[in-house]
Amino acid sequence: MEKNEKDKDGYTGYEYRDMTVKRSMAELYEDNLTSFGWQVESCSDSVKGILYVTLHLKRDRLLRNRAELTRLQRQFENEADDVRRLEISKRTDASAAAFGIGIIGTAFMAGSVFGYLDGRRMLMILLAVPAFAGWIVPYFCYSVMYRKKSASVVPLIEAKYDEIYETGRKAHALLGA
């Protein structure tokens, strides 16, 4: 990165920022934040938990086109957040369906146990079969639904990555201007 202006004595003032991001997205942020003038000083574990990291950043305070870079950076952060939400959406519907089937299977098992305690063996057997099915089927249901949702969401995620890279390219051009 080229320094735009320095004080007469060679001093460069920096602005600092800490950014907490999902660990799976850290490389994307590290690669793209340099396009907005930021230098990644360090990366440490976050207080939010093991799924997050904190990036410690700095950049020259006298950066040219700072307002436009800040606008593009917000756009980048929104696009990266969209990618994160799309990744989550792949699991949401599949998880909800699997949990629902599992709960129904558990209700059948409760009925089976009550049938056993009441001495009704035939009722116990009739309720145990769907109960076990309700505990086995969720795995397959989740797998199928996850694959279908992934197939529909992956093109959207790729389009978002293209937008992210285009935003980074615009910001990088501003740094060089």
Side-chain angles (χ1 to χ4, degrees), residues 29-97:
Y29 276 85
E30 287 177 14
D31 291 344
N32 284 282
L33 287 175
T34 57
S35 297
F36 304 103
W38 292 102
Q39 298 171 5
V40 179
E41 289 292 297
S42 63
C43 181
S44 62
D45 292 334
S46 175
V47 295
K48 283 186 168 183
I50 61 173
L51 296 177
Y52 294 90
V53 293
T54 299
L55 302 174
H56 305 283
L57 311 165
K58 79 174 185 179
R59 77 174 170 188
D60 188 352
R61 293 184 68 80
L62 299 176
L63 200 60
R64 279 185 269 149
N65 301 318
R66 189 170 167 193
E68 181 65 15
L69 285 171
T70 302
R71 185 190 69 75
L72 287 170
Q73 182 178 339
R74 275 195 301 261
Q75 182 179 343
F76 159 74
E77 290 172 2
N78 289 336
E79 291 164 350
D81 198 42
D82 289 344
V83 168
R84 185 188 57 79
R85 277 193 292 261
L86 286 169
E87 288 288 347
I88 290 171
S89 76
K90 291 193 298 189
R91 294 185 304 268
T92 304
D93 293 342
S95 294

Side-chain angles (χ1 to χ4, degrees), residues 101-176:
I101 294 169
I103 288 172
I104 291 169
T106 302
F108 274 104
M109 184 55 73
S112 176
V113 169
F114 289 134
Y116 172 77
L117 292 175
D118 196 32
R120 298 182 181 165
R121 305 275 185 231
M122 190 52 124
L123 178 63
M124 177 196 74
I125 293 169
L126 287 175
L127 293 177
V129 171
F132 286 120
W135 288 348
I136 296 169
V137 168
Y139 172 77
F140 300 106
C141 176
Y142 177 87
S143 297
V144 168
M145 289 183 73
Y146 180 81
R147 269 189 258 117
K148 284 182 181 178
K149 184 70 172 188
S150 290
S152 67
V153 169
V154 165
L156 299 174
I157 291 173
E158 291 301 320
K160 280 295 172 186
Y161 275 121
D162 291 341
E163 290 176 24
I164 286 171
Y165 296 133
E166 186 59 35
T167 302
R169 204 173 290 123
K170 287 178 187 175
H172 186 73
L174 283 176
L175 281 180

